């Protein structure tokens, strides 16, 4: 008869949907991992701004829709996408 068909291909990316594709018990680990990645990233923006003699007006962390984030507000770059893209 016919040989068995191969299993369907697995998706390359799986979205992290708490309770669906990610166990709820893993949420604290995801939260910590995002913070550990985002905070040094934003500190890098602050360091680059200081090297360029730009003033950092604020640094902070936040949670939006249960996802942690961070920001670095640099004076003189607001509303200037070309200046922001140079970083």
């Amino acid at each position: 008869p016919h040989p068995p068909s191969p299993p369907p291909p697995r998706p390359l990316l799986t979205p992290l949907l708490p309770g669906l594709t990610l166990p709820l018990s893993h949420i604290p680990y995801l939260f910590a991992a995002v913070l550990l990645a985002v905070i040094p990233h934003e500190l890098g923006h602050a360091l680059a701004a200081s090297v360029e003699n730009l003033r950092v007006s604020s640094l902070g962390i936040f949670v939006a829709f249960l996802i942690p984030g961070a920001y670095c507000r640099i004076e003189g770059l607001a509303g200037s996408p070309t200046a922001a893209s140079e970083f």
Side-chain angles (χ1 to χ4, degrees), residues 1-74:
H2 298 288
S5 59
R10 294 178 55 178
L12 293 176
L13 297 174
T14 302
L16 297 177
L17 303 171
L20 296 176
T21 61
L22 180 72
L24 294 176
S25 62
H26 290 187
I27 291 176
Y29 301 110
L30 177 64
F31 195 87
V34 170
L35 279 178
L36 287 173
V38 171
I39 290 173
H41 174 87
E42 294 305 323
L43 289 173
H45 287 293
L47 178 62
S50 67
V51 166
E52 295 295 326
N53 294 320
L54 296 171
R55 185 173 180 274
V56 175
S57 58
S58 62
L59 279 168
I61 60 173
F62 61 89
V63 177
F65 304 105
L66 302 177
I67 299 172
Y71 66 90
C72 175
R73 186 164 293 134
I74 302 168

